[in-house]
Amino acid sequence: MLELKQMSCGYGAFSAVHGLSLVLRPGTITGLLGANGAGKSSTLMCVAGHVGLQGGQLLFDGQDIGRMPATERVRKGIAISPEGRRLFKDLTVEDNLRVGGVIHPASWYQQDRDRVLSLFPRLAERLTSLAGNLSGGEQQMLAIGRALMTRPRLIMIDELSLGLMPKVIDLCYQALHKLRDEGMTVLLVEQNTERTLSIADDVCVLESGQSVWRGSAADARNDPSLTAAYLGLH
Ligand code: ATP
């Protein structure tokens, strides 16, 4: 699966992440936690190929993907639901899903779309709505659905629950459970520490672009120094 080896990335001369090492186990959910500006989004965007790698290695199934164009990484099975969701707001829900599936033969569309709609039945009721008219929760489902249309093996989701109502967050987390049951590997960035610790198998905590803690979510929950110092839990 995915392995980050001493990965550094950033913007021009500015380095947002320095020497991050992380191994994602197949079929598990890894939670990436940390305060605003810690480098979580930059990490995801670097893996996706949208933020420049400055040092170290990115391995996917053992292959070095660090210099591979973003579209090639999608073909390899890496998808992202980015911060801010970046939907095509003037297109319908259905057309956003079509855009997600565009790298695959048209004959795959129906099956992949049906899979997304069974995961998020709410979207089935909104297929002809413009994405810009959806609620925040529906937009989040669509962003994840659009990423799933690429048939990924790794899905990275940035700020899953930010600004969403608890009921909608529940629906999104149920979907994550299902995806993991199907064997999907998930890299999850969250502000919501408690939710993350409740679903994640593994956890990595970033501070100022560096990893300050890595381990199982169970160990993270039981480490009082960690929960108090970095995770805002007491
Ligand atoms: P947040 O939850 O606020 O998004 P984060 O942990 O995801 O925080 P990043 O967004 O990765 O953190 O930001 C890491 C650092 O990179 C910050 O110092 C931020 O100001 C900087 N940064 C982020 N995006 C850019 C950009 N497009 N150009 C320059 N610097 C950036």
Side-chain angles (χ1 to χ4, degrees), residues 2 13 16 43 70 80 99 102 116 137 139 170 188 218 225:
L2 183 73
T43 299
I80 184 166
V99 171
V102 81
V116 169
Q139 291 195 8
D170 287 343
L188 177 66
S225 64

Side-chain angles (χ1 to χ4, degrees), residues 11 14 16 34-43 83 158-159 189 191:
Y11 310 86
F14 175 72
N36 284 345
K40 307 180 296 294
S41 300
S42 302
T43 299
E83 188 173 23
D158 203 344
E159 302 289 15
V189 163
Q191 293 279 336

